[in-house]
Amino acid sequence: MEIRVVNLQEKSDLIKELHQYKLIAELNNYQVKLVKAKREFIWHSHPETDELFLVVKGKMRLAFRDRTLEVKKGELIVVPKGVEHKPICKTLCTVMLIEPSGTLNTGNTGGQLTDTNLERI
Amino acid sequence: MEIRVVNLQEKSDLIKELHQYKLIAELNNYQVKLVKAKREFIWHSHPETDELFLVVKGKMRLAFRDRTLEVKKGELIVVPKGVEHKPICKTLCTVMLIEPSGTLNTGNTGGQLTDTNLERI
């Protein structure tokens, strides 16, 4: 079993393409992913699981139906399962996600923005 | 369900006592904990689970039986289940841990350093 130290800034710098999720670690049956984004994503929820976001670079707004929260570098938030949300990165941001393996980025909404190509970096 | 933004540096600054694990978030049946440490911990393993460490402040050395890795602020590492390890913070460090609820800090070794008093901050 390989044990690696993962530097989040270095991994972020490796990512050249926006909106493509990269696998950076695994924790039991959970995946730790990194994505670089500059977009307003779509409304969706994950009926089966909570989802942890940790902002590594920049800031993200996380819209819920009743309010919008800002999550900045060095901050994390857990979206409970079943809660509709929409991540918004108006400026370039890098976000780490932790969720069970196989969790889709578009949750129950699906569609063209679904990214199933999870390259390990 | 309360949804909170958790600022890791701010939470770290709140912690006054060393070596007392604090609960800062939950992800399904996993707990996200923060601990401020300055000690050489004990050899132990977690036979049932992997364990994720992310260094929030300072640096930690993580000893394995065959080598020692340094994990600095902004870096994470996953210790696979069953692998003996010993965290060492020679200088003051703050570390975030993610592992299933009920995972003991001393793993299969137990003893006086076991901390079961997990206050939420």
Side-chain angles (χ1 to χ4, degrees):
Chain A
M1 171 81 67
E2 185 197 9
I3 301 177
R4 314 190 299 165
V5 177
V6 176
N7 184 299
L8 295 175
Q9 295 293 334
E10 287 177 13
K11 289 295 185 198
S12 174
D13 291 344
L14 280 181
I15 301 176
K16 301 306 177 196
E17 318 87 354
L18 298 188
H19 313 140
Q20 295 186 16
Y21 294 76
K22 306 294 183 184
L23 181 67
I24 59 168
E26 289 170 287
L27 174 71
N28 298 320
N29 63 326
Y30 281 63
Q31 291 175 326
V32 184
K33 306 170 189 175
L34 210 58
V35 65
K36 198 174 271 189
K38 186 180 174 186
R39 68 175 169 187
E40 180 164 336
F41 202 51
I42 55 169
W43 284 107
H44 68 284
S45 69
H46 303 282
E48 303 305 318
T49 182
D50 300 344
E51 184 171 44
L52 185 149
F53 296 86
L54 175 97
V55 176
V56 171
K57 271 186 140 170
K59 60 185 173 182
M60 171 180 73
R61 287 197 302 160
L62 199 48
F64 301 97
R65 289 299 185 184
D66 62 346
R67 60 186 159 148
T68 297
L69 296 174
E70 184 171 89
V71 191
K72 302 188 299 289
K73 178 180 173 177
E75 294 180 336
L76 67 81
I77 190 169
V78 176
V79 176
K81 67 179 175 182
V83 172
E84 282 190 297
H85 58 285
K86 177 168 70 167
I88 302 162
C89 291
K90 285 202 175 287
T91 52
L92 189 64
C93 70
T94 302
V95 179
M96 187 181 93
L97 298 93
I98 304 182
E99 55 200 352
S101 302
T103 303
L104 292 180
N105 62 324
T106 51
N108 64 337
T109 301
Q112 287 189 334
L113 297 180
T114 304
D115 178 14
T116 57
N117 178 24
L118 188 63
E119 182 195 8
R120 182 164 201 134
I121 62 170
Chain B
M1 170 80 67
E2 186 196 10
I3 301 176
R4 314 190 299 166
V5 176
V6 176
N7 184 299
L8 296 175
Q9 295 293 334
E10 287 176 13
K11 290 295 185 198
S12 173
D13 292 342
L14 280 181
I15 301 175
K16 302 306 178 197
E17 317 87 353
L18 297 188
H19 313 140
Q20 295 186 16
Y21 294 76
K22 306 295 182 183
L23 180 67
I24 58 167
E26 288 169 288
L27 174 71
N28 298 322
N29 63 326
Y30 281 64
Q31 290 174 327
V32 183
K33 306 170 189 175
L34 210 58
V35 66
K36 198 173 270 189
K38 186 179 174 185
R39 67 175 170 188
E40 180 164 337
F41 202 52
I42 54 169
W43 284 107
H44 69 284
S45 69
H46 304 282
E48 304 304 318
T49 182
D50 300 345
E51 184 171 44
L52 184 149
F53 296 86
L54 181 126
V55 176
V56 171
K57 273 186 139 169
K59 60 186 174 183
M60 171 180 73
R61 287 196 303 159
L62 199 49
F64 300 98
R65 290 297 185 186
D66 61 347
R67 61 186 159 146
T68 296
L69 296 174
E70 184 170 89
V71 191
K72 301 189 298 289
K73 177 180 173 177
E75 294 181 337
L76 67 82
I77 189 169
V78 176
V79 177
K81 67 179 177 182
V83 172
E84 281 192 297
H85 58 285
K86 178 168 68 167
I88 302 162
C89 292
K90 284 203 175 285
T91 52
L92 189 63
C93 70
T94 302
V95 179
M96 186 181 93
L97 298 94
I98 303 181
E99 55 200 353
S101 302
T103 303
L104 292 181
N105 62 324
T106 51
N108 64 338
T109 301
Q112 288 188 332
L113 296 180
T114 303
D115 178 15
T116 57
N117 178 25
L118 187 63
E119 182 195 8
R120 182 164 200 134
I121 62 169

